[in-house]
Each structure stands twice: as C-alpha cells, then as structure tokens.
Amino acid sequence: MKKIIAIALFAMMAIPLSAQEVGLQLYSLRNQFKTDVSGSLDIIQSWGITKLEGGGTYGMSMEDFQKELTSRNLEVVSVGAGFADLEKNPQKVIDNAKAFGAKYVMCAWVPHDDNKWDLEETQHATEVFNKAGKLLKENGLTLAYHAHGYEFRPYKDGTLFDYMAENATDFTFELDVYWAHHGGGDPLALMKKYPKKMTLMHLKDMEHGVKGNNTGHEDVETNVVLGTGQVDMAGVVAEAKKLGIEYMFIEDESSRVVEQVPQSLAWLKSLDKP
C-alpha cells in the first residue's frame, strides 16, 4: 500500500487540478477497500480529489467513516441507491443521503431479465423514478438515473432511453459515457439533446476494439485511461463544462485503477492547456 500511495503522490505533484469538479466513484477502489479502508482513502487524498460518489461505510460506523473523510478533506456528494429501496422504501434512501450530507442520489441498475428490457419495463422504471424523485426533491435531493446500456434498445424512431428522458419529470440522469457508448448511444449527442436532464457524469473510457451491446454487461478490464479509448472523451468533457454539470466522477473498474486514475487526471488537466 505504501508503494501505491507513493506513486499516487508523485502523480498529484505533476497534476495541479483545475477548478472543475472531478470526483471519484468509490466503487473504483472496491477491492482496495476490502483490505484497507484508511489506506484507500489516503490514495484518493493523494490524487487531489475531494468529491466522492459512494453510499456505504465499508464496515465502519457512519460517525467513524465521516471522521476518516473529514480528516482528509473528502466529501460524499452523491450516494447510490438500489431500485428496490427507491420503489418501496424511499425514506431509507433519503436518510442515508442526509447522513452523508449528499445532495445527489443515483441509481445505477434496474433489476431485470437480461433478455427482457422492453417498453413495459421502461415505463415502470420511469414511474418509480418520478415518484421517488418527487419525494427526494421535497427533501432537497436530486435523483439521477445512471443508464447502463440496455436502455438504448430501439423504440419507435429512437430508443427506450429517449422514452425515459422525455418522460422524466422528477428525476435526472447521470451519464456514464462508457455504458452509453457501449449500448449504442452517442454520449455527446445525448448531452446536446437533453441538456437540462444531465446533472452528473461518469467518466470512463472503453478500450479500442471492444464491440458494444445493449445487455449492460462487459469485462471491467476494458476500462482504460481517459482519452486513450474509443469514446469521444474530449468532446463530452467540453460539453459537460458547457452545460455546467456539477460533478464528473471518474469510474475505473479495472484491476489497474490505482495506476490509471492518475493518468486519467493528467489527461483531463491537459484539456485545459491552450
């Protein structure tokens, strides 16, 4: 762990972060958290990242985990929520978000049969998100749905994602550019088509040569350093800044996450150069 932190510290010295809010989805370090919570938070701190998306406390009490975060100037601004809780126990979601002091709640998956994601499933999910989103909004929270690829199946002249976006009255979207691209969507085009409904973003690039599909499944090792894959990352980052998307969370699910995140940060910083 000390060697990893040393690498990250070197990377941070080489990367003076801009004022743009680039955060980290904590799932990226899920394997590191299993063995060393404090050490994993040290790595994040060394990267110069302060805004996080999470929702769990990794076996610690909320009070102790918050102390760990505060001591490193880390803040959970977005928390994950399961679809079942949003549907049946939204108050649990609200309480968890408020315990963290978060302002966003994201849902990253709607349970379904992989062979069955159709209009009926889409309509139900949209109804659940609108109902829960209205309640969350009344409690000062914004609900964002993280599409995962299966929503880009054809529907009329567009996709099922279009149905969700056009009928989203009380929830927004967290655009994961990897999964949108993987599912057959165009992340940049989606941002331009639904500018007021994109409130959060997952920055994740996809290895060249990978053929996408709309199942919502792929090998995590296809996550590569930002700007080196097949997604138009420069275009989506520029558009995110133009739209004023508050937080762009790096999510790197590969086994190379500790080595790749500093490189991704360096690439993001390079976009600021004239």
Side-chain angles (χ1 to χ4, degrees):
M1 184 65 76
K2 290 182 178 179
K3 180 180 179 181
I4 291 174
I5 293 175
I7 293 172
L9 282 169
F10 174 79
M12 187 190 77
M13 288 188 293
I15 308 167
L17 297 179
S18 68
Q20 180 67 32
E21 291 286 7
V22 175
L24 181 76
Q25 162 54 254
L26 291 182
Y27 188 72
S28 302
L29 291 176
R30 62 197 179 283
N31 295 319
Q32 288 74 15
F33 274 115
K34 289 177 183 178
T35 58
D36 189 349
V37 176
S38 295
S40 298
L41 295 176
D42 286 340
I43 292 174
I44 298 170
Q45 181 187 30
S46 74
W47 287 335
I49 289 173
T50 62
K51 307 302 182 184
L52 309 173
E53 183 172 71
T57 60
Y58 302 95
M60 304 179 71
S61 67
M62 178 64 75
E63 181 180 4
D64 287 344
F65 189 65
Q66 288 283 40
K67 287 180 180 177
E68 292 276 352
L69 294 176
T70 301
S71 68
R72 296 171 176 81
N73 191 34
L74 299 176
E75 177 186 10
V76 174
V77 295
S78 176
V79 298
F83 183 79
D85 284 334
L86 287 168
E87 182 176 23
K88 300 177 180 178
N89 192 4
Q91 189 59 49
K92 175 183 175 182
V93 175
I94 292 168
D95 292 343
N96 188 52
K98 288 190 173 183
F100 275 104
K103 60 188 296 186
Y104 291 98
V105 172
M106 62 82 77
C107 179
W109 188 267
V110 180
H112 65 281
D113 182 333
D114 283 347
N115 296 316
K116 183 179 182 294
W117 179 267
D118 54 20
L119 180 60
E120 182 179 354
E121 299 271 355
T122 304
Q123 289 175 328
H124 176 64
T126 302
E127 291 170 2
V128 169
F129 290 139
N130 276 329
K131 184 177 180 179
K134 183 177 180 181
L135 182 59
L136 266 62
K137 192 183 301 182
E138 292 170 356
N139 284 269
L141 301 166
T142 297
L143 176 61
Y145 175 54
H146 170 305
H148 228 100
Y150 47 84
E151 306 86 351
F152 294 96
R153 297 177 186 184
Y155 172 66
K156 292 188 175 181
D157 294 331
T159 66
L160 290 169
F161 180 88
D162 288 311
Y163 175 91
M164 294 188 80
E166 290 165 7
N167 290 278
T169 58
D170 290 287
F171 71 97
T172 62
F173 293 89
E174 177 173 61
L175 182 65
D176 185 308
V177 296
Y178 174 104
W179 284 115
H181 181 84
H182 191 274
D186 181 335
L188 184 55
L190 289 169
M191 296 169 74
K192 292 181 178 180
K193 187 174 184 179
Y194 303 110
K196 296 182 179 180
K197 296 191 176 182
M198 301 295 177
T199 54
L200 297 174
M201 179 177 286
H202 275 184
L203 299 179
K204 185 191 305 180
D205 210 344
M206 187 165 73
E207 183 181 10
H208 283 289
V210 175
K211 294 183 179 180
N213 57 62
N214 54 25
T215 67
H217 300 291
E218 187 54 81
D219 183 352
V220 296
E221 298 304 332
T222 63
N223 291 191
V224 295
V225 175
L226 299 182
T228 67
Q230 57 179 283
V231 180
D232 179 9
M233 296 302 304
V236 297
V237 170
E239 189 66 17
K241 292 182 178 181
K242 178 181 177 181
L243 296 180
I245 290 179
E246 191 168 10
Y247 299 112
M248 298 188 292
F249 299 106
I250 293 175
E251 184 179 42
D252 188 331
E253 300 182 50
S254 76
S255 61
R256 306 174 302 281
V257 55
V258 176
E259 291 73 28
Q260 290 191 166
V261 169
Q263 296 176 61
S264 291
L265 288 168
W267 179 81
L268 286 169
K269 182 59 182 176
S270 73
L271 297 179
D272 295 331
K273 295 179 180 179

